[in-house]
Amino acid sequence: MAKTVDAATMRQINKRYVTEYIYTRAPISRIDISTMTGLNKATVSSLVDELISEQFVVETGYGTSNGGRKPVMLQFNAKAGYCIGVDVQITHMKTVLTDIMGNIVYKRIRPMDAAPDHLTQAVLEELLLDEIDRAAAQAPPSTHGIIGAGIALPGIVNFKAGCAFYLPNIEIHNWDVVGALSNVFSFPIFIDNDGNCGAWSEYRNRHVDNLVFVNVGIGIGTGIIVGGRLYRGANGIAGEYGHTTISAIGVPCACGNYGCWEQYASEQALLRYLSEGEEVPESLELSPNLVALAVEEATQRATYRRAFETVGQYLGIGIANIVNALNPDLVVVGGTMAQGAHLFESQIAAVLKHRAMSFNKQVPVAFADEDTIVVGAARMPVWNTILQSPLSET
């Protein structure tokens, strides 16, 4: 049975569309919004005036005329409010405060004890509470204050339920993250898989409709954009390419499988290749600085260069599997391992040339900024409160 929508609800739906167009396509004029959305000019003008009165949108001057009066251009007001983003990794927690457009105004990296049994659910909750509170205290005065906080987690996450089903390298199960934190803060809390946060952030930056983001740290996770929408799958856990098998009888993985991709192309793998080649200095261990230290050593030591090359070869194998399955426009490699991209990107290219099929051989591989994931996390409150965009997932 078809449902009727009352005028107030329809106005809210239209307002979200107009808000999203200004947020994603500014500078933009009222007439451009009317043309793109199909809404009549009077409706667009009324909604824009409402957004201006709420201080979410500002007029920035005149655009170019195609005949007649010059259009007044609109821009989202970046300082209308602030968002907090947290990227939880096994060795560290990165927290940022951004303005409403994702520009970082505060950043802090907190090392964590990744030893077995040290990084528990209780410890993580305490750290998250402290880091979010610290970031909130750094927010400048604004009309809307803190819009919310988004948390990127390395594992199987149900973003709708606010629950982390399984964080494989920490052995945390069925963690109600949002429930644990929401009672403490006056603003909403959102969570998602770190690969999804990275994918959405890269999509916003690059405007490529079919994209795969590969987050390479201690493990590997991916986020998938298909047709401009974040693909989650039937149960919201799509993108676990790090746990696809590339060696039938291979290295045991924390997930219980053997031969998972992340055991051959991650920080864990890099450290193992180094230890197999020569004695590893005490300073080189699973830590926030592992890749940076290894990159520095690679300028002088062939063993380190060979270790990065091996990682690159295995990254190439996994990426070839991805492009053969999905045929994306672009693959973006991010996470801590991207700091060493110059040492292994040629190996990725060589493997793709050999293993990818047909047009997939030409799929470009780019590398992400170090803050891609945490900024993607910080953007979650905007998409889920101000925009509530129907275009953001599938």
Side-chain angles (χ1 to χ4, degrees), residues 158-372:
N158 186 323
F159 86 108
K160 289 184 177 179
C163 177
F165 290 146
Y166 180 40
L167 307 184
N169 288 299
I170 314 177
E171 289 304 316
I172 291 177
H173 300 260
N174 299 319
W175 176 21
D176 182 7
V177 185
V178 172
L181 303 180
S182 289
N183 292 332
V184 179
F185 300 106
S186 60
F187 46 80
I189 306 292
F190 304 93
I191 68 169
D192 208 338
N193 171 270
D194 51 8
N196 288 342
C197 290
W200 197 241
S201 188
E202 286 297 314
Y203 169 74
R204 286 283 297 110
N205 292 337
R206 298 176 187 269
H207 305 288
V208 175
D209 283 346
N210 299 286
L211 174 151
V212 178
F213 177 79
V214 183
N215 179 33
V216 189
I218 288 181
I220 295 178
T222 63
I224 304 166
I225 301 289
V226 178
R229 300 187 180 190
L230 187 61
Y231 180 75
R232 295 186 182 276
N235 302 110
I237 62 172
E240 289 295 331
Y241 274 101
H243 295 286
T244 54
T245 302
I246 65 169
S247 178
I249 306 175
V251 178
C253 182
C255 74
N257 192 13
Y258 291 85
C260 290
W261 183 30
E262 72 174 37
Q263 294 302 317
Y264 296 86
S266 64
E267 287 185 33
Q268 302 176 68
L270 177 68
L271 194 58
R272 190 173 71 250
Y273 300 147
L274 290 171
S275 64
E276 291 170 353
E278 62 180 46
E279 184 179 353
V280 180
E282 291 183 3
S283 61
L284 204 64
E285 58 184 1
L286 287 178
S287 73
N289 301 317
L290 168 62
V291 177
L293 291 171
V295 168
E296 184 177 349
E297 291 286 345
T299 61
Q300 302 293 330
R301 301 168 74 172
T303 299
Y304 283 72
R305 292 193 294 274
R306 286 195 296 271
F308 276 108
E309 289 168 359
T310 303
V311 167
Q313 290 163 7
Y314 280 110
L315 276 174
I317 290 172
I319 292 171
N321 290 338
I322 291 172
V323 299
N324 283 337
L326 299 178
N327 183 225
D329 297 307
L330 175 69
V331 173
V332 182
V333 176
T336 50
M337 191 61 74
Q339 297 172 76
H342 62 287
L343 295 170
F344 59 74
E345 59 183 326
S346 62
Q347 278 70 37
I348 292 177
V351 173
L352 283 178
K353 184 177 180 180
H354 178 68
R355 293 180 180 270
M357 296 178 63
S358 186
F359 295 109
N360 291 326
K361 295 180 185 293
Q362 280 77 53
V363 173
V365 177
F367 295 89
D369 177 86
E370 63 180 358
D371 294 324
T372 290

Side-chain angles (χ1 to χ4, degrees), residues 47-107:
L47 293 172
V48 168
D49 289 345
E50 188 174 323
L51 289 168
I52 290 173
S53 70
E54 293 169 348
Q55 298 187 40
F56 280 123
V57 171
V58 293
E59 295 178 336
T60 59
Y62 294 100
T64 303
S65 172
N66 293 321
R69 291 185 298 177
K70 291 183 178 180
V72 176
M73 306 307 290
L74 305 169
Q75 185 83 42
F76 220 81
N77 179 14
K79 307 304 180 186
Y82 292 85
C83 299
I84 296 167
V86 186
D87 178 16
V88 178
Q89 297 301 313
I90 310 304
T91 57
H92 65 282
M93 185 179 292
K94 181 188 291 187
T95 306
V96 299
L97 178 76
T98 73
D99 64 25
I100 214 165
M101 295 302 295
N103 301 303
I104 295 174
V105 297
Y106 160 89
K107 179 166 70 171

